[in-house]
Amino acid sequence: MFKGINASDGYGIGVAQVAVAPDLSFTPRVPENAEEEKARYAAALDKFVAQTNAQIERMKKTVGEDAAEIMGAHIEFAEDDGIKDMVNGSIDSGMCAEQAVSEAYDTYYTMFSQMEDELFRERAADVADVKTGLLADLLGKEVVDLSTLPENSIVVVHELTPSMTADIDKENVAGIVTETGGRTSHSAIIARALEIPAVLSVADATKNIKTGDMVVVDGTNGKVIANPDDHDLEHYRAKAKVYAEEKQALEAYRGKETVTGDGEKKLLVANIGNPDDANNAAEHDAEGIGLFRSEFLFMDAKELPSEDEQFAAYQKVALRMKDQPVIIRTLDVGGDKEIPYLNLQKEDNPFMGFRAIRYCLNNPEQYKVQLTALLRASAFGDIKIMLPLVTNLDEVRQAKQLIEECKADLDARGVEYNKDIQVGTMIETPAASLIADDLAAECDFFSIGTNDLIGYTMCADRGNDRVAYLYQVYQPAVLRSLKRIISEGNKAGIMVGMCGEAAADPLLIPVLLSFGLEEFSVSAPSILRTRRIISQWTKEEADALTEKVMALKTATEVKAMLQAAVK
Ligand code: PEP
Ligand code: MG
């Protein structure tokens, strides 16, 4: 069994086709006529651009407009004036077109592959792809063709370039295994758009797997099994069958409203960690964003992101989601989320320490940079600001005071923003739950963070196996807390949502419906399933079940009753 990065969900079982890249080696020569050599380069460029444009048109039909746009980067790298000048300049100084192209693209490849930002680093693959396309044409070679593969092929390649992925014959490819690439690489994005299970960055895959080997690709868990035994095969065939049936059945919920069995409208939104995740959320039919964990912007950087950098990230999500709500949580640093350049002191008990809103309010000038960026982005969509780890009303008041100061600064700068921007709070501490009535009076919305709320309520670490029996949403103490939070929010007339993992728990959803939860914020792949489960319960059924559940005294009893009731 080989481990890799789970880049595209699902289970593929098939026969390996190990694709070897064409030999693009050449012996440099000094051309007799530089103008003729430049014309060869220009012709290769024209052909490449024409082929890529044709590919984009094909992809629009197979993977949709957004994913097809990815190939636009190839056109940009082919037609880039800087690169063209470099190639033509090298030809003028005596190089052949092959060498000039090779050296120019290698320079750009090195530049991109050394960049800090993962997204930029991933663009190095596009640069390499353009080089391969141009060189293959100049040398009269064919690039790897994945458009004519036998049925049930598992493609095994060192690097799956975007253009290879673009040509892939979706019907015949059951899975993809590569030796390079991450979840944000273009190949991964396209594999997801094509819904082909993919595991990337499997070391030595092209050496360890041979063409003709039977292979299982578990794209959900990032595992690859070569030459599986009968037991493995049976296990994965069953998994693939259940996955396919579930997925097919869930398609009926795409494009539909999220409504309960008796027609009550709910809001079904997604949790995201970076601006590009918004595309994935929209593709999975999210009705907005219920939690953008902004700390990832900070964790991915080497120093504090500037106001403009943050604004660009928030604006991107706002524009992508159009008029749909986008809740952005302000920096939730500390606990398990470390940001080295903030140089926070080591603490004996970081989960109860100087973190999240505590840190931000203690560094108001830094916090205002984020709040200002959020306000500026609010001119481009329905952005709402959410405060993490609140335990008392002072924190909400102080944060709102800072937001007012930022608004005044923006007024003075003459910058647009939404003057009525909503400010809400995460309810993820027992303290916040206990004062939910007071918080509701001064907040525009609640979003329940069950991931932390369970831990703090039960004094049980979510990562500690030995206390896993305590860390359960089915614990009566947690359920009573949830009931109280939702009821206080509802009484005050504010929206109450949930962005902790429990919002997508099929067992808990009827209880949440009975309590009156309005918004469910879940991971993108859970959207359609959550919509289906919500549609299966009427208020009356959910109330009847919840009444019985709330009379139980232990988590074991609660879970057993919910399991028996699940539809
Ligand atoms: C939560 O605590 O439930 C939550 C959504 O926040 P995080 O998982 O980022 O702590
Ligand atoms: Mg939390």
Side-chain angles (χ1 to χ4, degrees):
M1 202 257 292
F2 310 111
K3 287 283 292 171
I5 294 171
N6 52 336
S8 178
D9 277 352
Y11 304 88
I13 302 170
V15 176
Q17 300 292 330
V18 183
V20 183
D23 178 7
L24 296 179
S25 58
F26 60 91
T27 312
R29 57 188 167 78
V30 180
E32 283 169 17
N33 184 328
E35 290 313 310
E36 273 176 20
E37 206 61 15
K38 282 196 237 172
R40 283 183 67 226
Y41 164 54
L45 209 54
D46 284 349
K47 192 169 161 196
F48 180 83
V49 170
Q51 277 173 345
T52 308
N53 275 325
Q55 232 168 15
I56 292 175
E57 288 313 309
R58 282 199 300 279
M59 284 173 72
K60 282 185 182 163
K61 295 190 193 93
T62 53
V63 297
E65 296 266 343
D66 279 352
E69 281 306 313
I70 281 174
M71 295 303 291
H74 283 56
I75 309 247
E76 278 168 35
F77 284 127
E79 293 188 325
D80 182 275
D81 284 336
I83 303 183
K84 277 204 245 175
D85 288 348
M86 202 186 279
V87 175
N88 285 321
S90 300
I91 295 176
D92 278 334
S93 64
M95 271 187 208
C96 63
E98 288 84 347
Q99 191 180 359
V101 163
S102 191
E103 289 192 4
Y105 280 92
D106 284 350
T107 306
Y108 273 72
Y109 181 87
T110 310
M111 192 170 82
F112 275 95
S113 55
Q114 287 172 351
M115 287 191 180
E116 297 286 351
D117 187 303
E118 188 189 344
L119 286 174
F120 278 118
R121 270 202 317 276
E122 302 282 13
R123 298 299 78 84
D126 300 332
V127 174
D129 216 10
V130 178
K131 173 184 156 184
T132 304
L134 293 175
L135 266 188
D137 186 65
L138 287 167
L139 294 166
K141 300 264 173 79
E142 287 293 323
V143 287
V144 176
D145 182 5
L146 298 180
S147 61
T148 54
L149 289 168
E151 228 181 307
N152 266 335
S153 291
I154 302 285
V155 172
V156 184
V157 280
H158 169 66
E159 178 167 22
L160 189 70
T161 63
S163 59
M164 281 156 95
T165 334
D167 269 341
I168 227 163
D169 177 358
K170 180 181 168 172
E171 296 311 313
N172 290 341
V173 176
I176 296 170
V177 181
T178 72
E179 294 176 335
T180 62
R183 273 193 69 80
T184 53
S185 64
H186 281 161
S187 312
I189 296 168
I190 298 178
R192 285 197 287 274
L194 286 166
E195 302 191 356
I196 299 176
V199 181
L200 306 190
S201 283
V202 177
D204 293 329
T206 58
K207 290 198 193 89
N208 294 326
I209 301 173
K210 308 255 166 315
T211 292
D213 281 353
M214 180 68 121
V215 173
V216 173
V217 177
D218 175 351
T220 304
N221 301 298
K223 292 184 198 163
V224 177
I225 299 164
N227 299 313
D229 59 23
D230 287 350
H231 172 265
D232 282 339
L233 266 183
E234 204 179 309
H235 173 73
Y236 278 104
R237 279 197 179 119
K239 279 195 151 212
K241 187 161 176 272
V242 171
Y243 183 85
E245 284 168 0
E246 234 206 356
K247 203 150 175 238
Q248 190 47 42
L250 289 179
E251 281 307 307
Y253 293 87
R254 189 179 288 282
K256 299 277 161 53
E257 284 206 316
T258 304
V259 282
T260 60
D262 47 349
E264 194 186 335
K265 176 93 189 72
K266 298 289 172 186
L267 190 61
L268 182 55
V269 289
N271 294 346
I272 62 170
N274 67 56
D276 288 310
D277 286 350
N279 290 329
N280 195 28
E283 279 157 20
H284 279 88
D285 219 20
E287 298 160 27
I289 302 298
L291 169 65
F292 177 178
R293 291 180 162 98
S294 72
E295 54 275 10
F296 286 104
L297 282 181
F298 292 71
M299 285 156 74
D300 288 346
K302 281 271 180 292
E303 56 184 18
L304 279 173
S306 67
E307 182 189 309
D308 281 347
E309 281 166 342
Q310 291 192 53
F311 163 69
Y314 307 145
Q315 183 201 39
K316 191 169 178 185
V317 180
L319 292 173
R320 181 66 182 89
M321 302 313 291
K322 303 197 174 82
D323 299 329
Q324 295 178 326
V326 173
I327 297 181
I328 303 184
R329 177 174 74 187
T330 63
L331 180 63
D332 186 12
V333 60
D336 54 347
K337 294 162 190 157
E338 260 196 69
I339 302 180
Y341 56 82
L342 293 183
N343 294 320
L344 291 176
Q345 274 177 21
K346 284 265 171 276
E347 294 176 310
D348 287 344
N349 198 346
F351 281 89
M352 299 216 179
F354 184 59
R355 53 173 295 206
I357 191 130
R358 304 166 185 188
Y359 169 84
C360 289
L361 291 175
N362 203 260
N363 291 279
E365 290 313 313
Q366 190 179 310
Y367 198 20
K368 281 166 78 175
V369 173
Q370 178 169 40
L371 296 172
T372 305
L374 287 167
L375 284 167
R376 280 173 60 193
S378 72
F380 298 87
D382 185 13
I383 285 187
K384 303 169 200 276
I385 298 177
M386 180 153 74
L387 313 175
L389 209 82
V390 165
T391 54
N392 64 79
L393 201 50
D394 276 336
E395 289 167 339
V396 174
R397 288 183 179 161
Q398 283 174 36
K400 285 173 87 169
Q401 173 59 31
L402 291 178
I403 292 170
E404 288 311 309
E405 289 172 23
C406 296
K407 285 183 178 176
D409 287 346
L410 286 175
D411 288 337
R413 282 160 62 183
V415 178
E416 292 276 305
Y417 62 92
N418 173 11
K419 297 207 165 21
D420 301 317
I421 191 164
Q422 290 196 3
V423 181
T425 168
M426 299 262 318
I427 305 288
E428 53 183 343
T429 63
S433 168
L434 289 166
I435 57 160
D437 46 350
D438 291 342
L439 291 171
E442 299 192 25
C443 289
D444 295 314
F445 63 90
F446 282 167
S447 184
I448 307 174
T450 46
N451 305 345
D452 277 319
L453 185 66
I454 300 170
Y456 288 124
T457 302
M458 298 304 302
C459 296
D461 183 347
R462 56 173 130 163
N464 185 341
D465 278 354
R466 301 189 67 187
V467 292
Y469 67 101
L470 294 171
Y471 184 89
Q472 285 198 51
V473 74
Y474 316 112
Q475 290 286 354
V478 178
L479 292 179
R480 286 184 205 183
S481 186
L482 295 180
K483 182 175 182 186
R484 173 183 166 73
I485 298 163
I486 298 169
S487 136
E488 292 301 336
N490 286 347
K491 259 196 260 167
I494 62 168
M495 186 200 79
V496 185
M498 178 177 286
C499 57
E501 293 297 310
D505 180 347
L507 300 187
L508 194 72
I509 288 172
V511 178
L512 298 176
L513 290 172
S514 171
F515 288 165
L517 192 77
E518 191 178 332
E519 178 230 52
F520 293 72
S521 191
V522 303
S523 66
S526 305
I527 297 260
L528 295 181
R529 188 169 47 92
T530 305
R531 186 172 288 151
R532 183 190 65 194
I533 297 166
I534 290 173
S535 78
Q536 288 171 331
W537 292 91
T538 64
K539 183 78 168 57
E540 204 180 327
E541 289 165 340
D543 283 348
L545 174 64
T546 304
E547 196 182 327
K548 284 193 253 162
V549 162
M550 294 306 280
L552 299 174
K553 305 291 179 213
T554 69
T556 314
E557 290 167 354
V558 168
K559 192 168 179 190
M561 184 178 279
L562 292 176
Q563 267 168 338
V566 78
K567 300 194 179 190

